[in-house]
């Protein structure tokens, strides 16, 4: 029986940020602009996913898109809401853990979200809507006030 490898949280965090900064740069958003305001990427990223020939995507294309969007969801939550990557015990995962983002919501309760799940959820509701995806992640973590008087 092999021992689960130790998670490299710092490396994971840095790699995710580097990835989305590279995506922003590829889409014409300067790294400095993105780092000052991660919402600056929304229009360019929305145009990119709207124009992508999703019906023609190979599995590797879906994996790349999923990875890029996952990096964005996480980095957005970190920059805009003070969220942070952490390690969650996950016996079903190959290494026995997975990386998740956690944040304290408006109600003072700390919650976690796996950005990969947020992206997968968006993929089930095509066309991809970047704002909806970010809002869904924010609502999951209760980072925005919700009016319950309906």
């Amino acid at each position: 029986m092999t021992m689960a490898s130790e998670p490299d949280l710092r490396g994971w965090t840095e790699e995710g940020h580097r990835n989305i900064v590279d995506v922003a740069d590829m889409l014409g958003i300067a790294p400095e602009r993105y780092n000052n305001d991660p919402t600056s990427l929304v229009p360019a990223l929305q145009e990119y996913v709207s124009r992508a020939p999703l019906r023609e995507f190979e599995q590797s294309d879906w994996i790349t898109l999923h990875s890029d969007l996952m990096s964005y969801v996480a980095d957005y939550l970190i920059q805009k809401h003070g969220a942070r990557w952490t390690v969650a015990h996950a016996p079903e995962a190959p290494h026995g853990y997975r990386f998740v983002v956690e944040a304290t919501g408006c109600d003072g309760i700390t919650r976690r979200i796996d950005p990969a799940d947020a992206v997968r959820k968006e993929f089930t509701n095509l066309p991809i809507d970047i704002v909806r995806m970010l809002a869904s992640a924010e609502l999951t973590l209760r980072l925005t006030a919700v009016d319950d008087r309906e």
Side-chain angles (χ1 to χ4, degrees), residues 14-36 41 68 71-72 75 79:
E14 291 172 358
E15 182 180 325
H17 180 71
R18 254 192 328 270
N19 180 58
I20 198 56
V21 168
D22 288 347
V23 169
D25 195 35
M26 174 190 78
L27 295 176
I29 306 300
E32 303 77 30
R33 181 173 173 214
Y34 172 78
N35 284 323
N36 287 328
L41 180 56
D68 291 346
S71 293
Y72 184 52
D75 204 63
Q79 288 195 58

Side-chain angles (χ1 to χ4, degrees), residues 12-70:
W12 178 263
T13 301
E14 291 172 358
E15 182 180 325
H17 180 71
R18 254 192 328 270
N19 180 58
I20 198 56
V21 168
D22 288 347
V23 169
D25 195 35
M26 174 190 78
L27 295 176
I29 306 300
E32 303 77 30
R33 181 173 173 214
Y34 172 78
N35 284 323
N36 287 328
D37 178 13
T39 62
S40 66
L41 180 56
V42 170
L45 191 55
Q46 184 62 60
E47 181 177 349
Y48 172 73
V49 298
S50 295
R51 301 182 100 195
L54 301 179
R55 294 186 195 282
E56 299 170 21
F57 268 29
E58 303 283 333
Q59 183 176 3
S60 62
D61 299 319
W62 281 107
I63 291 169
T64 299
L65 180 59
H66 187 274
S67 177
D68 291 346
L69 293 177
M70 185 182 85

Side-chain angles (χ1 to χ4, degrees), residues 129-149:
D129 184 315
I130 300 301
V131 171
R132 179 181 60 208
M133 182 178 65
L134 296 175
S136 177
E138 288 174 326
L139 287 171
T140 298
L141 294 172
R142 306 292 194 276
L143 297 172
T144 56
V146 177
D147 187 353
D148 292 331
R149 300 172 291 163

